[in-house]
Amino acid sequence: MTEAQGGFRGWFAARKGVWSRLRFTSLRLRLVVVFGLVALTAAVSASGIAYWLNREAVLTRTQDAVLRDFEQEMQNRAGLLPEEPTQDELQHTAGQMANSSQRFSVLLVAQDAAGAPAYGSSGGLDGFTLADVPKSLRTAVNEKQEVDSSNKAEYHLYWQRIVEDDTPYLIAGTKVNGGGPTGYMLKSLEQEAKDLNSLAWSLGIATGLALIGSALLAQAAATTVLKPVQRLGVAARRLGEGKLDTRLRVSGTDELADLSRTFNNAAAALEKRVADMASRDESSRRFVADMSHELRTPLTAITAVTEVLEEELEMESGSMDPMIEPAVRLVVSETRRLNDLVENLMEVTRFDAGTARLVLDHVDIADQITACIDARAWLDAVDLDAERGIMARLDPRRLDVILANLIGNALKHGGSPVRVAVRVTDDEIVIAVRDHGPGIPEDVLPHVFDRFYKASASRPRSEGSGLGLSIALENAHIHGGEITAANSPEGGAIFTLRLPRETSDAVASGDENPQHDPPKGDA
C-alpha cells in the first residue's frame, strides 16, 4: 500500500510539473490561449448580436402580421355584430376570426339585450377565457381615449408577450370603435421560439468551430513563430558548448530573420575574437615555453659555476675573499631561485598546453608524506597525523610537488609547527595542512591560487616564484581532486587537499578533462 501511494504521489508530482511548465512557461500554450480568447470573444459577440437581431426580426415580423390580421378581423367581422349580440353570434364570429391565415385564438366580450356579459370563444388552446388576459391589458383596452386632431379613434389595439408553461404567447386586445364587442387574441409563439433555439444552437456550433479554427490557426502561428526561436535556442546552446561555427539559416525579411542575422553576426564576431585570443594565448604559451628552454642552456652553465663557488664557500681553507663572499652567496641563492622559476614556468606551460600526464602507482600516503618531509629536512618542524597502510593510486611525483608546496608555504608564511592530518573516506583521501600563523586576510583568500599574486604591493619580490600553489592546484586537478584554502577557527591557515583513492586511467591518459578552473598561482 505504501509503494502504491508513493507511486501515485510520484505520478501526480510528475503530471503537476508538466502542467506547471505548460501553464507558466509554454509560449505555444499562451499563444493558443490568447488566440482562443480573442476568437471566443469575437464569436460570442458576433453570435450574440446576430441572435438578438434575428430574434427581434422574427418576433417583430410574426407579431406585426398577427396584429394586422387580428385588427382586420375585428373591423371586418366583429364590427358587423349588433351592439347587443347574443352568445351564439359571438361564438360564431369568434370561430370565423380564428380561421384567418394566422390561426390565433379569439375571445369576444359584449353585453346582451338583458345587460348581462356575453362571451364568445373560438375554443382553441384549451379554451381562451377572460382570465387568461392580463388585467393591465384589459384595463388598457377598455380605456376610452379623447378624439381630437391627433387621435382619430376612441379605442386602440394593445398587445404584450407572456410566457405560460415555458411557452411564449402574444396576446392582444381592442374594442370596436363606434360601439361593438371587445376582442382578445392569443397566438402561440412556440414555433418562433423553436426557430430561435435552432438559430442559437447554430450560432453556438459556429462559435465552437470558430474556437477550434482559432486554436488551429494559433498552433500554426505558434509553430511559425516558435520554430525559429527554437532553432535560435539550439544554436545558442551549441555556441555555449564551444561550437563557434554554429550558424542559423536566414530566410525572409521579418523581425525573426533580422534576429537570425544578428545571431550569425554575433557568432562570427565571437568566433573571430576567440580565435584571436586562442592565437595570442598559444603565442604566449609558446613564448614562455621557448623562453624557458632557451634559459635552461645558459642557466645550466651558470648553475655549474655557482656549484663550484658554493663548494669554495664550504671549504675550510678560507680561499674565498671575505669581501666577495656575500656576493657569491647572493649569486648562488638567486641562481637556485632562477632554476626553480624556470622549472615552474615549464610545468605551467605543460598544464596550459594540456600535455601534463600522470604516471600512476599505488602508494602509501603516510610514507609519501614522510618522504617529502624528510627530503626537505622538515622533520622537526612538521607534525604528521597519518596512519600507515592508507593506499591510493596516484602519481607519486606530482603528489610530492603538491605536499612540498603546501607544507613549504605553511612554514614560510605561518611558521612551525605545521600539522599535517590525513583522513580517509570510502572513495576520497583528505589531507589537511594547518599552520599556527596569523592566517590569511579575507581579501586575499580568493586569490591565494592566482599566479604571481602578491598579498601586498609593498612586497613585490619574494623568495618563491609565485607559482607554487598554482602548480599544486593543477596537480590536484589532473588527479580529479581539489585544494581549498581557509582560516582555521583555532587560528592559522588551513589548506585542504582532496584526492580520489583511485585515479582513473582516462584522467591519467588525458582523455578526460576534469571540470575545474584554469591553473592559478599562489600568493
Side-chain angles (χ1 to χ4, degrees), residues 113-305:
Y119 301 94
S121 174
S122 62
L125 299 175
D126 296 330
F128 181 31
T129 65
L130 195 60
D132 297 324
V133 181
K135 184 178 179 180
S136 59
L137 182 62
R138 295 199 304 266
T139 301
V141 167
N142 292 316
E143 183 177 355
K144 187 176 182 180
Q145 306 288 332
E146 293 184 4
V147 177
D148 53 25
S149 58
S150 61
N151 183 29
K152 305 297 183 181
E154 295 179 339
Y155 299 99
H156 296 277
L157 176 67
Y158 296 95
W159 60 270
Q160 70 181 75
R161 295 173 194 161
I162 61 173
V163 177
E164 293 289 342
D165 299 328
D166 296 329
T167 302
Y169 293 94
L170 174 66
I171 187 167
T174 187
K175 192 171 185 177
V176 177
N177 289 295
T182 302
Y184 296 98
M185 176 275 300
L186 183 68
K187 169 68 175 178
S188 172
L189 300 177
E190 184 176 6
Q191 185 59 45
E192 285 73 13
K194 289 181 179 179
D195 293 342
L196 291 175
N197 286 336
S198 299
L199 176 62
W201 274 104
S202 299
L203 292 175
I205 294 173
T207 300
L209 292 176
L211 187 60
I212 295 174
S214 69
L216 295 177
L217 288 175
Q219 177 70 13
T223 301
T224 303
V225 174
L226 293 181
K227 270 191 175 180
V229 176
Q230 290 172 348
R231 287 197 294 267
L232 181 62
V234 172
R237 283 193 294 271
R238 289 172 59 85
L239 202 63
E241 292 169 357
K243 300 174 182 177
L244 301 181
D245 59 341
T246 301
R247 299 293 185 271
L248 290 173
R249 182 173 55 85
V250 180
S251 60
T253 58
D254 55 8
E255 289 80 359
L256 291 174
D258 291 340
L259 181 61
S260 298
R261 293 190 190 93
T262 303
F263 175 85
N264 288 342
N265 294 335
L270 180 62
E271 183 179 21
K272 184 177 183 301
R273 180 68 62 84
V274 171
D276 292 342
M277 292 178 63
S279 177
R280 287 195 296 270
D281 189 51
E282 178 64 26
S283 298
S284 299
R285 285 201 302 267
R286 188 163 50 248
F287 170 75
V288 173
D290 293 344
M291 182 189 68
S292 301
H293 282 288
E294 291 298 326
L295 285 175
R296 293 188 75 177
T297 301
L299 191 57
T300 302
I302 295 173
T303 302
V305 174

Side-chain angles (χ1 to χ4, degrees), residues 91 267 283 359 461 464:
Q91 191 76 28
S283 298
V359 180
R461 187 179 182 279

